[in-house]
Amino acid sequence: MSPHSATTRRCLLLLEKCKNMQDLKQAHALIVTSGLGSNSFALSRVLDFCSNPNQGSPAHAWKVFQHIQKPTICIWNTILKAFLLNNELFETVSVYKNLLQCGIAPDNYTLPYVFKACSRLKSVPLGESVHGYGLKLGLVFDIFVGNSLIFMYCEFRNMKGARYMFDEMPSLSAVSWTVMISGYAKVGEVDNARLFFDVAPVRDRGIWGAMISGYIQNACFKEGLYLFRLMQFTDIEPDEAIFVSILCGCAHLGALDVGIWIHRYLDHIGFPLSIRLSTGLIDMYAKCGNLDLAKRIFYEMPLKDTVCWNAMISAMAIHGDGETVLELFREMEKIGVRPDDITFIAVFTACSYSGMTYEGLRMFDRMCTVYKIQPKSEHYGCIVDLLSRGGLFEEAKEIVQRVIISSNPSEEELVWRAFLSACCTHGQAQLAELASGKLFQLERESGFYVLLSNLYAAAGKDGDALKVRKLMKNRGVEKVPGCSSVEIDGGVHEFIAGEKIHPHMEEIHSVLDMLNRH
């Protein structure tokens, strides 16, 4: 039957008006009774509605699919999308295998769905196998398939594989460049990301955003802000993701003037403040020391998610206001927003800074018993710090020694470092030696060596302090120089202990001044 017949048009119009699964089932029933039960176009629309993560049902899509006599590749692709969009990854791969077993050849829409499933499953062998089959069919040089392959290898942190695909593709799009830049940034190769950014033939908003975000993710906050200012010389308007990245950079650098400028700019252009963007503003103002503005934005927000509440609770926590943190937590519970593991880390930190040992332990019990959140090393580290600041060093030591957190040394290291820091702060030399003994076996970072050396020096044990310094030298551990930053006239200037003046510093400052004036 022609897809343009009156009956078909009426059924498709009814499908367009569906708002939930009940509506869809009624429309599907009409399709079947109208004799369109085998119409591929109508069935693909039914399956497409089922793929919607918010109102669809992949289980219903699968039931419909199983009754289709000879599904076309378009139908197969739609059921693949239904499972993928609902994050049912094993089912996505299973459908792909069934497709091959039925002798159906994948097309350039099929493979990107499968590559995304492999990426999320972190299944390198499966991804490489699908890649090989796509190569055999000659599909991997299609722009959509190729970009999906590049993305998959970036997710596998295999930048050699991603670069190989990038170089082999006969044509590239802006997405190709964006994915490579994001991939290099994700593995920490920010210099390679910048090389790709610099040679990109066209820089759209996605490419600028990928590079700015890459700098911020790798703690290159000053470079991220500088690139954002260069972007202002173009005709490209930043999007929400770029603004959030820059606000994050401002928060870490303490660049309040830049953060205020962004806030005013958003108001000036009428940019809608989403939950994510408002949360970024709250975090920026709090870390830059302006709690009043952070609170104002928070309380003016009509909707708040867990991340937003976490930002406000963390803001009060880093300023040592334990009472307000507990009030916010109770308010959060009252309106039905469920706290997560990050919420409790902020609460424990606030209790620790405020000397509220009992309240912190009570919240730890609430986290485990009421919310059934499994404590992580960060939680134990906070509790160790909480007990130590309360003078309960033996209890803190008991927790460290009794709780086996993980076979991962880095997690065990975090708790021992928290204990060592507290012992050094309060002059507990004997317990500090115990903690440092464990850390000597776990890491080569300079931090705890310096802590222990300073503790010995403060206690008048110069010989022991010298031994620790010699041990650092023998192990090849170098002390990371102290670094601070200050914002002057909208420009962020960093100062590193022992740093020499850059030979072209005056030239650099002149460029920054020009950007500031812009």
Side-chain angles (χ1 to χ4, degrees):
M1 185 175 290
S2 170
H4 300 292
S5 68
T7 304
T8 303
R9 287 198 298 272
R10 187 169 68 251
C11 290
L12 292 178
L13 183 62
L14 190 60
L15 280 173
E16 290 292 335
K17 294 181 179 180
C18 290
K19 295 181 179 179
N20 50 51
M21 284 302 298
Q22 185 177 354
D23 292 345
L24 179 84
K25 289 176 182 178
Q26 292 174 355
H28 187 204
L30 179 62
I31 288 172
V32 174
T33 57
S34 300
L36 298 174
S38 59
N39 185 288
S40 296
F41 189 67
L43 289 173
S44 68
R45 301 304 293 268
V46 172
L47 295 177
D48 191 59
F49 184 92
C50 292
S51 68
N52 189 310
N54 298 319
Q55 57 192 13
S57 169
H60 184 76
W62 182 243
K63 288 180 182 178
V64 173
F65 178 81
Q66 287 179 305
H67 287 88
I68 301 175
Q69 293 292 330
K70 293 182 179 180
T72 63
I73 187 61
C74 178
I75 296 288
W76 280 99
N77 290 341
T78 306
I79 192 68
L80 277 169
K81 183 175 76 169
F83 283 123
L84 180 68
L85 291 182
N86 287 273
N87 211 36
E88 297 189 17
L89 307 177
F90 290 106
E91 289 78 2
T92 305
V93 174
S94 178
V95 169
Y96 172 70
K97 289 180 179 177
N98 288 337
L99 179 151
L100 297 181
Q101 289 169 356
C102 292
I104 306 294
D107 64 8
N108 60 335
Y109 289 97
T110 311
L111 294 184
Y113 294 138
V114 184
F115 287 139
K116 287 179 183 177
C118 295
S119 301
R120 295 180 194 173
L121 287 169
K122 305 297 182 187
S123 177
V124 176
L126 180 60
E128 291 177 341
S129 173
V130 179
H131 179 187
Y133 190 64
L135 187 64
K136 182 179 177 181
L137 295 176
L139 292 174
V140 297
F141 302 114
D142 175 86
I143 189 69
F144 300 110
V145 178
N147 285 339
S148 298
L149 256 176
I150 294 173
F151 177 80
M152 182 185 75
Y153 281 116
C154 288
E155 287 295 293
F156 291 158
R157 306 178 74 85
N158 179 358
M159 293 312 298
K160 285 185 178 179
R163 179 62 189 269
Y164 174 81
M165 272 308 306
F166 182 89
D167 291 338
E168 288 293 308
M169 287 174 63
S171 62
L172 298 166
S173 66
V175 173
S176 315
W177 293 89
T178 303
V179 173
M180 286 298 297
I181 292 168
S182 298
Y184 275 121
K186 185 175 182 178
V187 299
E189 297 181 25
V190 70
D191 289 338
N192 280 332
R194 183 57 192 261
L195 286 174
F196 265 77
F197 175 83
D198 287 339
V199 299
V202 177
R203 294 178 194 157
D204 64 0
R205 184 184 290 110
I207 290 177
W208 280 96
M211 192 64 248
I212 290 171
S213 174
Y215 273 136
I216 301 301
Q217 289 170 11
N218 286 277
C220 302
F221 306 115
K222 193 173 179 182
E223 291 84 350
L225 263 64
Y226 179 80
L227 196 64
F228 175 71
R229 296 194 177 193
L230 289 181
M231 184 180 177
Q232 292 174 252
F233 287 101
T234 71
D235 296 329
I236 299 172
E237 287 289 332
D239 59 10
E240 180 184 285
I242 293 175
F243 282 125
V244 170
S245 292
I246 292 303
L247 287 172
C248 178
C250 293
H252 282 86
L253 288 172
L256 181 59
D257 285 351
V258 180
I260 291 173
W261 181 88
I262 290 173
H263 192 181
R264 288 175 178 169
Y265 179 71
L266 291 169
D267 287 340
H268 176 70
I269 64 175
F271 201 95
L273 289 184
S274 64
I275 293 178
R276 185 184 177 199
L277 197 49
S278 296
T279 301
L281 285 168
I282 291 168
D283 184 61
M284 183 274 296
Y285 279 125
K287 288 179 177 174
C288 290
N290 196 326
L291 274 178
D292 290 337
L293 274 174
K295 288 178 185 176
R296 193 183 79 184
I297 294 170
F298 178 78
Y299 286 112
E300 287 178 353
M301 290 176 65
L303 295 173
K304 307 178 186 75
D305 61 6
T306 302
V307 177
C308 182
W309 280 94
N310 288 349
M312 195 66 241
I313 289 173
S314 297
M316 304 311 299
I318 61 178
H319 286 85
D321 192 346
E323 292 290 348
T324 302
V325 164
L326 293 180
E327 287 177 14
L328 284 168
F329 183 85
R330 286 190 286 268
E331 187 180 345
M332 181 183 184
E333 286 186 310
K334 187 178 179 180
I335 64 174
V337 179
R338 182 180 176 84
D340 59 13
D341 57 331
I342 297 173
T343 313
F344 282 100
I345 289 174
V347 171
F348 298 152
T349 301
C351 291
S352 182
Y353 287 173
S354 304
M356 302 165 69
T357 307
Y358 170 75
E359 289 84 352
L361 293 175
R362 187 172 60 84
M363 293 300 291
F364 183 75
D365 179 69
R366 188 167 182 77
M367 180 185 82
C368 299
T369 58
V370 176
Y371 292 101
K372 308 298 182 185
I373 295 175
Q374 186 69 28
K376 298 179 181 177
S377 56
E378 292 87 353
H379 298 107
Y380 286 118
C382 288
I383 295 302
V384 166
D385 185 65
L386 177 75
L387 291 170
S388 301
R389 287 174 182 265
L392 303 173
F393 292 99
E394 289 300 324
E395 289 80 356
K397 183 182 76 171
E398 240 179 80
I399 287 180
V400 175
Q401 292 180 322
R402 186 179 71 243
V403 179
I404 300 176
I405 301 160
S406 167
S407 58
N408 187 344
S410 64
E411 295 189 1
E412 184 181 351
E413 170 197 319
L414 190 150
V415 181
W416 279 113
R417 284 179 65 84
F419 186 53
L420 173 63
S421 178
C423 291
C424 290
T425 301
H426 296 278
Q428 298 289 320
Q430 190 173 357
L431 292 174
E433 288 176 350
L434 169 68
S436 61
K438 295 289 184 180
L439 287 167
F440 279 137
Q441 302 169 18
L442 294 171
E443 66 161 319
R444 294 175 60 85
E445 190 183 333
S446 65
F448 82 90
Y449 289 91
V450 176
L451 278 174
L452 189 60
S453 175
N454 292 343
L455 173 65
Y456 282 138
K461 298 181 178 181
D462 296 332
D464 290 330
L466 185 60
K467 286 180 183 177
V468 174
R469 296 285 180 172
K470 284 184 176 178
L471 185 59
M472 283 179 65
K473 185 176 180 180
N474 293 337
R475 291 191 171 194
V477 179
E478 294 185 2
K479 182 181 182 301
V480 179
C483 176
S484 19
S485 62
V486 62
E487 186 182 23
I488 303 173
D489 296 330
V492 178
H493 305 270
E494 290 181 348
F495 302 91
I496 299 175
E499 181 182 44
K500 294 183 179 180
I501 300 297
H502 193 285
H504 303 292
M505 188 58 72
E506 289 184 5
E507 181 182 344
I508 293 172
H509 281 186
S510 67
V511 174
L512 289 173
D513 288 340
M514 178 190 67
L515 290 170
N516 286 334
R517 288 194 297 272
H518 175 76

